Amino acid sequence: MRTIRAALFELAGAIRTKRALVLILLYLAASLLGMNGAISALGKMEDQLAEVLQIERGSNGKSGVVSAALWKSKPFQRLVRGAVGDSLVYDDLVGKHPAELLYAWIVFLSVPLLSVLVSSRRVAEDIRSGSAKYALLRVTRLEFTLSKYLGQAILMLVGLLIGAVGAWCVAAFRLSGADLPALFPAMVAWSVKAWFISLAWLGLALGVSHFFKSGAKADAVAILMMIAWFAVPAVLRAYATGPVGGKLRILVMLFPSAATDSLWRSSFLPVADAAAWLLMIGLLWLSLGHMFFARRDVR
């Protein structure tokens, strides 16, 4: 209970200092700009596709009609099957509206950076300002760490859901088609999936923050770690061959990319397994920071 109360106190502090508003605006801006840019690119592609495939575009000038027809065409589906690689993922993606998949790609791509940027200095700043010292009079260090994680996770979920609303509004304004209302629950679902990705990156950012008093240093190290989290799994997959390489590839499971692909599925079990694994990854890296924090002087 003390952890939940501390997390609510973290949320109240974020609202009072306008930090929550900044976080929500960042997620909203990423969704609005990303969706608008993707639809603009989609419109340019449609001009070429309409000419090549001899498909008549809508008279209202909106995007979406040609792309939907293209996605349902057999040649394009064979092309996508080869690009996706995983037949199970392809089977779950086929038939979905292109705008839905564009939003999923945007939010999956932006969540790691936004999660790190908004969370990497949370503990460091509290240690530097002295507020951590007073918080630890009421809660244990473990409860303090978990409350920071829970509070930030709630804020990011709110930001992602508001971002989904904004992206749908852009899609409704710029796209045509009778299936636009069905895009809204789909975009919300992709935002929830992206939230589970953010839980892993949040664990990394907050774990790093436990090592520093300077927010700038925490930001710099967290960004470097983020780059490493993208690079190391790719290197392990590319160069880990043979019996020894096979063992090294197990290390990929310590990074979010090991579970992210499963979030593209529609079935409950693969998505639930991926979500649980991403949470465990976040808590693992958070615990590394807490182990150092538990022994440091915060005065």
Side-chain angles (χ1 to χ4, degrees), residues 137-151:
L137 296 175
R138 302 186 301 271
V139 296
T140 66
R141 296 197 179 207
L142 178 59
E143 289 169 339
F144 175 81
T145 296
L146 292 177
S147 68
K148 293 293 181 183
Y149 185 79
L150 180 59

Side-chain angles (χ1 to χ4, degrees), residues 69-88:
L70 175 69
W71 180 253
K72 296 175 183 179
S73 67
K74 295 299 182 182
F76 187 74
Q77 289 180 5
R78 287 195 296 268
L79 178 64
V80 173
R81 181 185 292 274
V84 170
D86 190 331
S87 60
L88 294 176

Side-chain angles (χ1 to χ4, degrees), residues 58-102:
S59 58
N60 58 5
K62 291 187 175 182
S63 303
V65 178
V66 177
S67 296
L70 175 69
W71 180 253
K72 296 175 183 179
S73 67
K74 295 299 182 182
F76 187 74
Q77 289 180 5
R78 287 195 296 268
L79 178 64
V80 173
R81 181 185 292 274
V84 170
D86 190 331
S87 60
L88 294 176
V89 173
Y90 169 80
D91 290 341
D92 285 341
L93 293 181
V94 67
K96 294 185 181 297
H97 197 288
E100 175 187 342
L101 300 179
L102 281 173

Side-chain angles (χ1 to χ4, degrees), residues 4 35 110 114 132 147 200 217 257 260:
I4 296 176
M35 197 67 191
S110 62
L114 292 176
S147 68
K217 291 181 180 179
S257 59
T260 301

